[in-house]
Amino acid sequence: EVEATLAAKSQAAQPPMVQQLLESLQAAAVYTDAPNHETNRKLWDAYAKNWSTDSDWVVRMAGHLPGDAPRGISCLGDEWSDEASLAAVLEDWVFPNVSSSAHVAEIGSGGGRVAARVAPRVGELVCFDVSQEMLRMAKRHLTAAGHENIRFQHVSGEGEYPAEYHGTCDVVYSFDVFVHMDLHQMRRTLTCARSLLRPGGL
């Protein structure tokens, strides 16, 4: 009660412009006492909402890429690594394990950067993510690219994945996602991934 009173007094003393700034920052604030999936949802929702190919901060993030790569950004996530490095990972770890008839799931599809490369090689791809905004970006990007074999599924991060997907996938993969999870979230996500697999799935 005392904390609420002090917070109210502090807010009342703030100029309207400062108050508006604080409120806008609140949407992207990450609290260490929040569950890991909630922290990630907030972070990636804010990232996707503010992402565009001509945003200064996106261009700066892409500054480490070779040559004129920053000017070639077309999908959320292109700013994180160069095309050759991504292609090498996919050639080594994903493509050898999928086929044109495979039902595949991607955990943490983000803006659809990896999904765009996997979709043409599989029968069906389901993109799972804790961020609705990331899924919105992925859907926009992948639909514009003409991919019709993709489904998008929002997951909470704290419960099981929808039962309709249990036992339906030949392959489940994740790229550059588990680095954002704590151990509890990793265990929960791996359990969910296992539930998606058919017998003998990978």
Side-chain angles (χ1 to χ4, degrees), residues 44-126:
W44 296 117
D45 275 352
Y47 192 101
K49 280 181 184 177
N50 292 292
W51 189 93
S52 72
T53 57
D54 57 354
S55 291
D56 288 342
W57 64 272
V58 173
V59 173
R60 281 195 307 274
M61 283 187 75
H64 67 97
L65 300 175
D68 294 334
R71 287 192 283 273
I73 295 171
S74 63
C75 177
L76 189 155
D78 283 344
E79 65 274 20
W80 298 330
S81 67
D82 62 277
E83 181 62 31
S85 297
L86 175 61
V89 170
L90 296 177
E91 289 289 346
D92 287 346
W93 298 100
V94 178
F95 296 159
N97 297 300
V98 298
S99 68
S100 60
S101 62
H103 289 258
V104 177
E106 180 178 8
I107 307 253
S109 57
R113 182 181 189 220
V114 175
R117 291 154 176 83
V118 174
R121 297 171 178 258
V122 302
E124 180 183 59
L125 177 63
V126 183

Side-chain angles (χ1 to χ4, degrees), residues 7 19 29 39-40 46 49 70 78 86 98 107 112 121 123 127 136 163 184 188:
Q19 188 63 33
T39 300
N40 279 320
K49 280 181 184 177
D78 283 344
L86 175 61
V98 298
I107 307 253
R121 297 171 178 258
C127 294
R136 182 181 60 79
H184 303 289
R188 186 177 297 120

